[in-house]
């Protein structure tokens, strides 16, 4: 008998619990209809953990996350915690998870579903058929670099400091993930930095280039400055296949890429660590969108980014590509049938609720077994 796969759900704040709730229903469906059972534990992260325990993530939750086969996170933060101490703000919980689990490679695919091409703020022909993957470095750079802090100067002024820092191995391991993934896609990697201004950017470009020559010369590699990449993403996004970039540029470029797809409510992500001897990687999956406090608790949130994050979990953590494909197809079919939450509803369409979208996806899953 093999033990069930151990999942940790961390719904978090705002719309997090609502969207993660829809994934629970899909997990139940997999258990009853496909015989794929998970042991699902659930706990707190973010503001709700601050309220209960005084910290955005407890050591006990960190231990559970380390022991789990995969973690699914909803969202953290909200105006309620705007004034808590910076060190224990809700986002610090998410950052600790990423850092302590060593999840250095963050995969953020931006795919335009045919039914949503009209929903993008860009022209249909610019985004139709778009399928790009941003690989964002997630445990280094300015997010974690030292020194950092706000310091008092002798002249009475204050100084805010953060440090952008990358080592050879940090650059090479995330670039290797990007090259590997490109091989399974259209074979192109665009590496993005600011080598015209930053030494860390020069090192980034050199090391990605070296690794490419050593081990991935079958992949087509280009380099681009980050400001130009931001512009190219709205000018002609289909020129890209895989983009690999640092933590901060990846944060910004992935928000930008999400709007190509019509809504931030559509973008899933996977954050992966290094593979161990058995090939198993630590992994955390989360929608790219935030906690959307303005619509929290109203049943309006789009659960598709979280459902698609769960599909990524099945694919990357459990090698359940068939089931991941089924879920992605069910999402596409629901969208084709015109099912829309408010964020992706065009004029004249009446939006469904969060659970209404969950119903629609489950119905299309059932249809695939019929
Ligand atoms: C993201 C978010 C986070 C980040 C925040 C919530 C800390 O914007 O995952 O993109 O900046 O990484
Ligand atoms: Mg972000």
């Amino acid at each position: 008998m093999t033990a069930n796969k151990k999942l940790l759900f961390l719904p978090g704040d705002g719309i997090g619990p609502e969207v993660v709730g829809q994934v629970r229903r899909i997990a139940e469906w997999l258990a009853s209809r496909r015989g794929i059972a998970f042991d699902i534990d659930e706990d707190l992260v973010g503001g709700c953990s601050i309220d209960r325990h005084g910290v955005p993530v407890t050591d006990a939750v960190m231990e559970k996350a380390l022991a789990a086969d995969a973690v699914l996170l909803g969202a953290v933060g909200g105006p309620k915690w705007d004034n808590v101490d910076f060190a224990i703000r809700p986002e610090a919980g998410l950052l600790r998870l990423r850092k302590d689990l060593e999840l250095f490679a963050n995969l953020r695919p931006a795919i335009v579903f045919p039914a949503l091409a009209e929903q993008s703020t860009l022209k249909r022909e610019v985004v139709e058929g778009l399928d790009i993957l941003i690989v964002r470095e997630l445990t280094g750079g300015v997010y974690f670099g030292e020194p950092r802090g706000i310091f008092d100067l002798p002249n009475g002024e204050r100084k805010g400091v953060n440090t952008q820092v990358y080592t050879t191995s940090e650059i090479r391991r995330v670039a290797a993930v990007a090259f590997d993934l490109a091989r399974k896609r259209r074979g192109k990697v665009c590496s993005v930095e600011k080598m015209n201004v930053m030494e860390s950017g020069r090192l980034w470009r050199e090391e990605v280039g070296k690794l490419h020559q050593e081990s991935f010369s079958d992949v087509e590699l280009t380099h681009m400055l980050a400001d130009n990449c931001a512009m190219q993403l709205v000018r002609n996004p289909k020129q890209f296949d895989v983009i690999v970039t640092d933590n901060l540029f990846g944060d910004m470029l992935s928000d930008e890429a999400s709007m190509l797809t019509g809504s931030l409510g559509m973008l899933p992500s996977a954050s992966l660590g290094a593979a161990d001897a058995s090939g198993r990687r630590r992994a955390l999956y989360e929608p790219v969108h935030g906690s959307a406090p303005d619509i929290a608790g109203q049943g309006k949130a789009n659960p598709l980014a979280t459902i698609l994050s769960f599909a990524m979990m099945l694919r990357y953590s459990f090698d359940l590509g068939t089931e991941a494909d089924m879920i992605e197809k069910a999402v596409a079919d629901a969208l084709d049938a015109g099912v829309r939450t408010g964020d992706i509803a065009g004029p004249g369409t009446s939006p469904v609720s969060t659970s209404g979208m969950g119903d629609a996806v489950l119905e299309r899953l059932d249809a695939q077994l019929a």
Side-chain angles (χ1 to χ4, degrees), residues 304-359:
L304 292 181
T306 315
I307 290 173
L308 292 169
S309 299
F310 183 62
M312 289 186 88
M313 178 193 289
L314 299 178
R315 191 185 306 284
Y316 290 109
S317 285
F318 302 115
D319 219 4
L320 292 168
T322 306
E323 283 70 21
D325 287 346
M326 289 178 77
I327 293 172
E328 285 161 5
K329 179 173 178 349
V331 167
D333 289 349
L335 292 171
D336 282 343
V339 184
R340 299 283 188 275
T341 43
D343 57 313
I344 48 174
T349 27
S350 55
V352 299
S353 65
T354 306
S355 62
M357 184 58 94
D359 294 341

Side-chain angles (χ1 to χ4, degrees), residues 11 52 54 104 107 176 193 215 278 301:
R52 177 83 61 87
F104 63 86
L107 283 41
E193 27 58 19
S215 315
S278 65

Side-chain angles (χ1 to χ4, degrees), residues 162-176:
N162 291 94
T163 301
Q164 167 80 341
V165 52
Y166 273 106
T167 61
T168 310
S169 58
E170 284 177 317
I171 297 166
R172 290 172 70 101
R173 65 182 180 176
V174 71

Side-chain angles (χ1 to χ4, degrees), residues 179 183 187 211-221:
F179 285 129
R183 278 181 175 157
L211 180 68
H212 175 248
Q213 284 208 324
E214 286 162 26
S215 315
F216 296 98
S217 53
D218 54 308
V219 176
E220 182 190 323
L221 171 66

Side-chain angles (χ1 to χ4, degrees), residues 43-61:
D43 219 308
L44 303 177
V45 70
C48 56
S49 174
I50 298 174
D51 290 348
R52 177 83 61 87
H53 303 293
V55 287
V57 64
T58 62
D59 293 343
V61 169

